[in-house]
């Protein structure tokens, strides 16, 4: 088997094993309603993971994503409800701001990890300005969209499959996606081929901003309200989801389908630990241990495939 096959197989196997263990602990979860509860928050996490993947794809990392998604949630729970047009314009401005951020990072050759860490305080401050205390309400159309009940597959699973297919077509099958991955693989070669790396970096960040906006909106549609800290943990979850799904920090090696599966695995891990009645104080550490085990297994399989 090739390295790419191993990269995709491991997240699938990890999700299947965790799902089987969950069903063994709680057989009632093996139903439409049970799966819907298990993966209730999978959609916003999957969208945030795809957003982070866009940044990692060009060899950067975004430490402001959780604060950005929280800001979007605050906008969606206030402006998008009371003044829809103003809310949509603000969300569009946020996507453009993300694209501009990517352009500035490349043009000035700034370390993305430092710049995005600083931007996390900017996004957090704006979120607090808009919504100083938890509150707001989800637009009716958004709440209805996120609580749809398809006939055979729960909404969270169906939406996750759709996200994986769309992003696979965009990043893996399309020409522009290949060029974007080329920026992470060898930016100089891409530039020698006549492409503007500045514009490509701006595009990658703009796509990250778009998926970040969708993540914030999906989160509000599920929770029906927001606060300035509602998605802060999405920063680390999104990074873990990309890596768990077979992505790498350098070389433009990412897997959209794997990233979505990684997000589903992390979502399921939280439910699995609840079924184990593990104290919330220990759950974050346990999730980290699961991630380390999966990554160790991936490293082992990768080395074996390289020797073969």
């Amino acid at each position: 088997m090739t390295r790419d096959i191993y990269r995709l197989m491991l997240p699938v196997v990890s999700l299947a094993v965790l799902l089987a263990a969950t069903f063994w602990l709680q057989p009632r979860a093996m139903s439409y309603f049970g799966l819907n509860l298990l993966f209730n928050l999978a959609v916003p996490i999957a969208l945030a993971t795809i957003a982070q993947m866009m940044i990692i794809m060009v060899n950067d990392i975004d430490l402001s994503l959780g604060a950005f998604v929280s800001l979007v949630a605050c906008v969606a729970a206030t402006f998008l409800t009371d003044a829809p047009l103003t809310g949509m314009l603000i969300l569009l401005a946020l996507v453009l701001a993300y694209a501009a951020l990517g352009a500035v990072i490349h043009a000035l050759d700034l370390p993305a990890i430092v710049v995005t860490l600083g931007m996390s305080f900017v996004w957090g401050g704006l979120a607090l300005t808009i919504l100083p205390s938890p509150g707001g309400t989800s637009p009716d159309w958004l709440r209805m969209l996120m609580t749809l009940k398809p006939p055979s597959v729960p909404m969270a699973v169906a939406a996750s499959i759709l996200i994986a297919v769309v992003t696979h077509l965009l990043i893996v099958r399309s020409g522009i996606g290949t060029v974007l991955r080329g920026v992470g693989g060898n930016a100089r070669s891409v530039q020698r081929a006549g492409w503007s790396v500045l514009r490509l970096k701006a595009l990658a960040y703009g796509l990250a901003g778009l998926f970040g906006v969708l993540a914030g909106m999906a989160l509000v549609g599920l929770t029906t309200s927001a606060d300035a800290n509602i998605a802060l943990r999405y920063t680390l979850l999104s990074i873990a989801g990309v890596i768990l799904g077979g992505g790498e920090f350098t070389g433009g090696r990412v897997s959209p389908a794997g990233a979505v599966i990684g997000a589903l695995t992390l979502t399921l891990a939280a439910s699995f630990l609840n079924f184990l009645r593990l104290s919330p104080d220990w759950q974050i550490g346990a999730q980290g241990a699961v991630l380390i085990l999966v990554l160790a297994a991936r490293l082992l399989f990768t080395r074996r495939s390289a020797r073969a």
Side-chain angles (χ1 to χ4, degrees), residues 3-308:
R3 186 176 178 179
D4 289 337
I5 294 177
Y6 278 124
R7 184 181 290 119
L8 185 59
M9 276 187 60
L10 195 56
V12 173
V13 172
S14 302
L15 178 61
V17 169
L18 192 56
L19 193 60
T22 302
F23 288 158
W24 180 73
L25 282 175
Q26 185 56 262
R28 285 187 235 177
M30 199 184 308
S31 64
Y32 183 100
F33 181 73
L35 287 173
N36 197 49
L37 287 177
L38 289 176
F39 295 109
N40 185 41
L41 293 176
V43 174
I45 294 176
L47 289 167
T49 302
I50 292 297
Q52 187 70 250
M53 186 196 75
M54 298 296 177
I55 306 296
I56 292 178
M57 180 175 62
V58 293
N59 291 348
D60 287 344
I61 191 167
D62 185 2
L63 297 184
S64 69
L65 185 61
F68 181 78
V69 174
S70 297
L71 171 59
V72 171
C74 291
V75 172
T78 54
F79 288 100
L80 207 57
T81 301
D82 302 329
L85 180 58
T86 302
M88 293 302 294
L89 290 175
I90 292 174
L91 296 179
L92 176 60
L94 290 176
V95 173
L96 295 177
Y98 238 71
L101 181 63
V104 169
I105 288 173
H106 177 75
L108 301 180
D109 196 21
L110 300 172
I113 192 171
V114 175
V115 176
T116 56
L117 179 60
M119 287 303 299
S120 67
F121 296 103
V122 175
W123 304 136
L126 291 173
L128 281 171
T129 301
I130 294 173
L131 202 61
S133 59
T137 183
S138 171
D140 292 337
W141 62 269
L142 185 56
R143 184 167 58 251
M144 289 177 60
L145 177 63
M146 294 308 301
T147 55
L148 282 176
K149 294 183 179 179
S152 55
V153 181
M155 174 61 181
V157 177
S160 296
I161 294 172
L162 178 62
I163 293 167
V165 171
V166 170
T167 51
H168 177 81
L169 293 175
L170 175 63
I171 300 302
V172 178
R173 305 296 296 179
S174 72
I176 191 62
T178 302
V179 175
L180 285 171
R181 285 185 288 116
V183 172
N186 193 328
R188 290 184 179 180
S189 295
V190 171
Q191 191 166 18
R192 283 197 295 268
W195 292 88
S196 170
V197 177
L198 177 67
R199 292 180 180 178
L200 290 171
K201 275 283 189 81
L203 176 59
Y205 273 77
L207 288 171
L210 174 61
F211 280 99
V213 165
L214 294 176
M217 293 174 64
L219 184 58
V220 169
L222 290 170
T223 61
T224 69
S225 63
D227 71 76
N229 301 312
I230 192 172
L232 291 186
R233 67 191 184 98
Y234 280 23
T235 297
L236 295 181
L237 282 177
S238 63
I239 296 171
V242 173
I243 304 305
L244 185 61
E248 298 182 14
F249 285 116
T250 59
R253 298 186 185 95
V254 294
S255 170
V260 173
I261 294 172
L264 290 173
T265 303
L266 292 172
T267 305
L268 182 60
S271 299
F272 177 73
L273 294 174
N274 283 329
F275 289 146
L276 288 177
R277 297 181 181 178
L278 194 65
S279 169
D281 296 333
W282 291 93
Q283 286 190 16
I284 296 177
Q287 283 181 313
V290 170
L291 179 61
I292 291 172
L293 287 173
V294 173
L295 293 181
R298 192 179 89 180
L299 180 61
L300 179 62
F301 287 143
T302 300
R303 287 180 176 177
R304 285 186 178 179
S305 64
R307 290 173 184 172

